[in-house]
Amino acid sequence: MATPAIDSSVLTRRGVLAAAAASLLLAGCGQPGERPDDGSSASSAPGDQDLVVGASLELTGRGAALGVPQQRALEITAEALNRAGIPVGNRRRSVRLVIQDNRSNPTVAARQAAELTRAGARALIGGTLAETSVALAEAAQKIKTPFISVGLGDGVVLPIAERTFSFQVTPDAVDVARRLADLVRAKRVRQVALLAADGLHGDSGVRAVRTALQAADVELVRTVRLPATGRSFAGAARRIAAAEPGGVIVWGTAPDSGVAARELRRADYDGQLFFDAGAISEDTLSEANAAAVEGAYAVHPAGLGASALSATSTTDLERRDFNYRYTQRYGTSDTFAPYASDALQLVAESVRLATSLDRGRLRAFLQMQVAEGIAGGYAFTETRHGGMEPDSLATYVVAQGSWQLYG
């Protein structure tokens, strides 16, 4: 992950925090070797111990379309970090991943959090589904192990008083909804319907979209929730089409997003489609979905649109290198994968700054991280653990079967 850099021409929240980060890091966390005061019982690791990072991911089940790319991203990023090692005090540590399949089951995910910590994990990453992320966050709080969620849903790191060990690298629903509402208004669509996934991610979307559309003076004519994955979406699509909206916002995650688009077209809806960030996956652009999603819009972190030919900053070069290695290994890039890469980089940087593998110190330095990652920019604070910055978001359109930066 690139060293934070401030563009003097743009004053952003991230830039202000970055300017203050160094002094806060020195003043707020004590000197190297000091015991944490947050109740963590973890001590500094022996000199020959790796940085063990545990991952509980949806490698099977309903979240596999997003979970598998996260596993791949973690492995690629760990290899890159291990080329030189992570400086921790006067030693260099290697990253050792311990990855488990939570089978898209929150109960399994919660159990794995404890298992991974007992196996030596200094930090946890995972939960592409909101439900598994919440389960991991609750477990991480009990066992005092830092956890970074790669899932979508606003309840993962809130309330902050009960989630002091949890962080999130995906964008907030409120920020995505505002960008979608602005786009809908710019496209002169006056009436829209919302087709939202079941579960916590869909709940976040319903709340955020209603508020954002009202502020944008766009009428929400109907809200329909998708049934649980594995059941037919046809009925929900017909109810949306019957309202005859000028646009439909599909708020869900792959593979549901693409299936919902297909069912809307089969229900004779021929208007504009708008996706939230959960749809940005190669699965959504699969051959089965291609005709249905062509011309659809989505809001997603701006890193998706970076051109390898124009890469000039350190972050751009890191993004290009990651995409190259991912494509070389798996034949295609995956636009959802960079979240896990950023999560692991944030852990590694926090360990470097903490000069320790102590879990309590790692948590303290995570909540002061201000950095530019592959997916977007992050600015964690003591009172804000959902770190994806709003100015990291951009709008994309599906053109000739690929995501293209719009406008």
Side-chain angles (χ1 to χ4, degrees):
M1 181 170 292
T3 301
I6 305 174
D7 182 345
S8 60
S9 65
V10 180
L11 185 60
T12 65
R13 175 179 175 277
R14 187 160 71 257
V16 172
L17 289 171
S23 59
L24 285 172
L25 288 168
L26 290 174
C29 297
Q31 297 301 314
E34 217 174 276
R35 289 189 60 81
D37 59 5
D38 55 16
S40 172
S41 61
S43 61
S44 297
D48 60 351
Q49 185 172 330
D50 294 336
L51 166 59
V52 181
V53 178
S56 174
L57 293 169
E58 294 80 348
L59 305 183
T60 57
R62 63 176 295 193
L66 301 181
V68 172
Q70 302 305 297
Q71 177 190 19
R72 295 170 174 176
L74 285 174
E75 292 169 347
I76 288 171
T77 305
E79 290 172 7
L81 288 169
N82 287 340
R83 291 172 192 165
I86 303 169
V88 184
N90 60 353
R91 298 178 182 273
R92 286 190 175 270
R93 312 277 186 172
S94 294
V95 175
R96 179 162 63 86
L97 297 173
V98 181
I99 300 175
Q100 295 187 0
D101 177 13
N102 62 39
R103 305 194 301 276
S104 304
N105 185 318
T107 302
V108 174
R111 184 177 70 243
Q112 289 175 347
E115 293 172 350
L116 290 164
T117 298
R118 286 196 297 269
R122 298 297 171 177
L124 304 171
I125 294 172
T128 62
L129 298 177
E131 287 76 12
T132 52
S133 272
V134 168
L136 285 162
E138 291 174 348
Q141 190 70 21
K142 292 177 182 177
I143 57 181
K144 307 297 183 186
T145 300
F147 163 60
I148 301 183
S149 167
V150 294
L152 295 157
D154 290 350
V156 178
V157 296
L158 296 174
I160 189 66
E162 299 174 12
R163 298 284 194 274
T164 57
F165 276 80
S166 294
F167 303 83
Q168 191 169 19
V169 290
T170 50
D172 292 342
V174 168
D175 297 326
V176 174
R178 286 172 179 165
R179 292 297 291 264
L180 283 171
D182 289 344
L183 175 62
V184 167
R185 183 174 58 185
K187 300 298 291 182
R188 301 184 184 279
V189 177
R190 306 310 306 164
Q191 294 183 321
V192 298
L194 172 62
L195 187 56
D198 70 310
L200 298 177
H201 176 50
D203 294 346
S204 298
V206 170
R207 291 191 297 268
V209 168
R210 284 176 177 168
T211 301
L213 290 178
Q214 184 176 17
D217 195 25
V218 176
E219 182 182 2
L220 179 61
V221 296
R222 181 164 294 175
T223 298
V224 177
R225 301 299 293 267
L226 288 167
T229 299
R231 298 172 58 190
S232 173
F233 290 177
R238 287 194 296 268
R239 289 175 61 197
I240 289 288
E244 299 183 349
V248 175
I249 295 175
V250 177
W251 193 284
T253 57
D256 292 356
S257 304
V259 176
R262 292 206 313 264
E263 292 297 343
L264 283 167
R265 299 310 188 196
R266 287 172 182 164
D268 295 327
Y269 172 73
D270 59 1
Q272 297 187 69
L273 289 177
F274 304 89
F275 291 117
D276 81 303
I280 301 286
S281 167
E282 296 311 298
D283 181 89
T284 304
L285 302 181
S286 67
E287 184 176 355
N289 300 332
V293 302
E294 184 69 17
Y297 298 91
V299 170
H300 187 269
L304 173 58
S307 169
L309 297 177
S310 61
T312 54
S313 70
T314 301
T315 301
D316 287 341
L317 293 171
E318 290 178 351
R319 185 177 293 124
R320 181 182 66 181
D321 181 60
F322 174 84
N323 289 334
Y324 172 78
R325 286 182 283 122
Y326 195 104
T327 302
Q328 186 181 50
R329 185 169 300 183
Y330 299 108
T332 182
S333 63
D334 191 288
T335 46
F336 201 84
Y339 291 122
S341 178
D342 285 353
L344 185 55
Q345 292 274 18
L346 285 165
V347 169
E349 178 64 6
S350 295
V351 166
R352 184 188 70 80
L353 292 169
T355 65
S356 169
L357 297 184
D358 183 281
R359 296 187 185 97
R361 285 180 60 80
L362 173 55
R363 183 203 69 84
F365 278 83
L366 266 173
Q367 74 177 12
M368 295 182 182
Q369 279 276 16
V370 181
E372 197 72 32
I374 294 174
Y378 306 97
F380 297 133
T381 68
E382 186 176 353
T383 58
R384 185 177 187 269
H385 286 192
M388 173 66 75
E389 288 293 276
D391 63 0
S392 293
L393 298 174
T395 303
Y396 296 86
V397 61
V398 181
Q400 297 181 336
S402 65
W403 298 107
Q404 304 290 332
L405 190 62
Y406 175 73

